[in-house]
Structures are given as structure tokens and as C-alpha cells.
């Protein structure tokens, strides 16, 4: 059942022409498809508002509606507004550029160039310090033979006769509700504004060709495996002078032989003999800056973790570095000789509970647990 036209527009029956027009324009903007993408009834709602506006904005049809209602409009021969397209109705009131671009999803003019993805492999040290890497790839570029014009060398492009070089054409449709103006790319030249009489043999008149490229990429310190760097405008060239696409450099960080990355921290599993763990020792450990000596304290326990703060990976965005965490892996000896077994038995006989008790106090154990 149809709603009252005054109710649809939200105006009183005494509203003047200006109030009716202002109310409709405000309502139409709210019903724009870009604002109501999730509402499947947007088109029906707009047509309802547009129909109410056409009736109430016309003094003759408004007088008929006020006196006889919907039946009076039918008997009076007023057209059914539903026969017109949503796109035509909207453009007749607001034009093509109300919200910028082609508001109904059409693609006018030249197309943007395509994006390209390449991979750059670096090692963990380079990821920590940052590095410049040169990458090679192929992209669509201007044809070198015709310099992107699409016309054979020695010839020029001709101004399109269909659109007089504008690249856009307009058509006017007259209806009972006024005239609707459409504007779109010229079909004769594809929106270029010019045509090619003698196409370039190398590119077939497209003005584009595949070309090899080489680009230097600044890889920042702290970058992780799988992250990408975007280089704007380094992708394929656009058609007819449109913007070029982007180049995406995917970073692959090769695994380190000894150090494992955990976010901004580095993990190293330090193998210790039972003797080194019990008596202490000075052993060599790997770091991002190279191998260095590390002191193992007597009585080091299996699985114990020691952190060297500020020796991990740099933060990608911000200052500081993570930690280098050293995990103590005490190795239990195997394949013992009889002499070694006898010595271990002697050690066991000479040991007491004190040899296996922790020297750390409660406070130190809590602090170690949260470090």
C-alpha cells in the first residue's frame, strides 16, 4: 500500500515549492547507494521519494492528488514513475559528480596500471641492520617505438570525430518528468579523445609494452619475514596517461643457523656438559654482532634462561631492541666406560642434599620467574 506523499517527504500539506524541493534533495542524499550499501531497499525508497516529489512539485498533479488522492492521479493520466531507472532519476537531480567519480560504479576514462609483486631475500643480520637490495622485474611500460602514443613512428594520433577530442559523450532523453542527461566515455576512442589511423607495429596501437626494470629498495632494520614494502608508482604504467600501479616487495628473511627469532627477541639454545653446568665455564655464543664469550656460572640448571637485554632485533617502528635469550641445555653423558661409571658412583656417594639445594632465596626465585 502506498504511503501518503506528504508523509514520504516529511512535509506538511501547506508546504511551499521550496520546502518540498529542499526536503526531497535532503532525503535523496540520505538514500544514495554509497551511503546505504547494506540496505537492499534503497532503490525502492528513492523511487518512492522521487514519485512524491514529482507529484507535489507540479501544481496541477498536486491539486489532483490533494482532491482525489492516488485514484485521481491515475484517472488524470499521470505517468507511473517506476518506469524510469534509478540512475537516470538521480542524475537528473544531482548530476554525475555529486559524490565524486562515477557514483553508479561505471569505469570512465583510462585505467590505472596494475600492481606487481616481487620477493627480496635477506639474512637475519641484514634484517637487524637494514639493507639496500636491488630487485629486477618486468612491468608494462610505454612502448619505446611509439613513445606510448600507439601510432606508428612518423605518424600522429587523430582527434576523435565522435567526441571532438573530449573523450566523453552526452546523450539526452526526454521524459514526462523532464530531460535526463547521461555522460560517459566515448565508445569510438575509449575515452582517449583521439584515435590511431596507423597503429604501431610493436605494440599494436596500445602504446604499451613489457619492459625489464631494476629498482633499489631500502629495507628498514627490524623488518620481519613475510612483511612487504610498497613502492608507489613503480608498477605497470596506466592506460592513456593514467596513474601507474604500485610495486610490492615481499621480504623473505632466511633462517639463521643458530639464532631463532621470536618477535623482537632472539633465542639461542646453549649446549652445556654436566661438568660445565656444575663447575661453570666460559663458552662462545653467537650474537648479531658476531661470536663472543659468555660466562656460565657454577650450578647452572637445565632449562635455565638468561636474557641479554638490548641484544635482540631492533623495533621496526620506534627505538630500542629486544633481548637475546640464552636457554641452557645440559647434556647428560652417554656411552660411559666402566671407569667413568665408577667415578660417578664415587661422586654420588660423596654428595648430599646440600649439593642439590638451591642457593636462591624466595625473592630471587620470584624475580627470576618474571624476568
Amino acid at each position: 500500500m502506498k504511503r501518503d506523499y506528504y508523509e514520504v517527504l516529511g512535509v506538511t500539506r501547506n508546504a511551499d515549492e521550496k520546502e518540498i524541493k529542499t526536503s526531497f534533495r535532503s532525503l535523496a542524499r540520505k538514500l544514495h547507494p554509497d551511503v546505504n550499501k547494506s540496505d537492499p531497499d534503497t532503490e525502492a525508497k528513492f523511487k518512492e521519494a522521487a514519485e512524491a516529489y514529482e507529484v507535489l512539485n507540479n501544481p496541477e498533479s498536486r491539486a489532483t492528488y490533494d482532491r482525489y488522492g492516488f485514484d485521481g492521479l491515475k484517472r488524470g493520466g499521470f505517468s507511473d514513475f517506476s518506469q524510469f531507472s534509478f540512475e537516470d532519476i538521480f542524475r537528473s537531480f544531482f548530476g554525475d559528480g555529486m559524490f565524486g567519480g562515477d557514483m553508479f560504479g561505471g569505469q570512465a576514462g583510462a585505467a590505472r596500471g596494475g600492481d606487481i609483486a616481487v620477493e627480496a631475500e635477506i639474512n637475519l643480520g641484514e634484517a637487524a641492520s637494514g639493507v639496500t637490495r636491488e630487485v629486477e622485474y618486468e612491468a608494462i611500460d610505454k612502448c619505446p617505438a611509439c613513445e606510448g602514443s600507439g601510432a606508428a613512428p612518423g605518424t600522429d594520433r587523430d582527434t576523435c570525430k565522435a567526441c571532438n577530442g573530449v573523450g566523453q559523450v552526452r546523450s539526452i532523453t526526454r521524459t514526462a518528468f523532464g530531460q535526463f542527461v547521461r555522460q560517459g566515455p566515448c565508445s569510438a576512442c575509449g575515452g582517449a579523445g583521439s584515435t590511431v589511423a596507423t597503429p604501431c607495429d610493436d605494440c599494436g596501437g596500445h602504446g604499451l609494452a613489457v619492459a625489464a626494470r631494476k629498482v633499489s629498495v631500502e629495507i628498514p632494520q627490524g623488518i620481519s619475514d613475510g612483511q612487504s614494502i610498497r613502492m608507489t608508482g613503480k608498477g605497470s604504467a596506466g592506460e592513456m596517461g593514467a596513474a601507474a600501479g604500485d610495486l610490492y616487495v615481499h621480504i623473505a628473511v632466511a633462517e639463521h643457523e643458530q639464532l631463532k627469532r621470536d618477535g623482537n627477541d632472539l633465542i639461542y639454545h646453549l649446549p652445556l656438559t654436566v661438568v660445565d653446568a656444575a663447575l661453570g665455564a666460559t663458552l662462545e655464543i653467537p650474537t648479531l654482532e658476531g661470536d663472543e664469550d659468555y660466562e656460565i656460572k657454577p650450578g647452572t640448571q637445565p632449562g635455565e634462561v638468561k636474557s641479554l637485554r638490548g641484544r635482540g632485533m631492533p623495533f621496526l617502528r620506534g627505538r630500542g631492541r629486544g633481548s637475546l635469550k640464552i636457554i641452557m641445555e645440559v647434556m647428560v653423558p652417554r656411552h660411559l666406560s666402566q671407569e667413568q661409571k665408577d667415578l660417578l658412583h664415587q661422586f654420588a656417594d660423596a654428595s648430599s642434599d646440600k649439593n642439590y639445594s638451591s642457593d636462591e632465596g624466595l625473592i630471587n626465585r620470584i624475580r627470576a620467574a618474571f624476568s
Side-chain angles (χ1 to χ4, degrees), residues 29 31-38 42 86 90 103-104:
R29 290 176 186 274
L31 292 174
H32 186 273
D34 286 349
V35 181
N36 295 277
K37 293 180 179 180
S38 60
T42 295
F86 182 38
F90 211 104
M103 63 186 177
F104 291 97

Side-chain angles (χ1 to χ4, degrees), residues 6 48 71 74 107 136 182 193 202-203 247 326 336 344:
Y6 292 98
E48 179 187 46
D71 290 338
K74 291 180 180 179
Q107 184 175 2
E136 298 180 3
R182 287 175 175 271
D202 287 15
C203 65
L247 174 66
I326 305 171
L336 300 176
L344 286 176

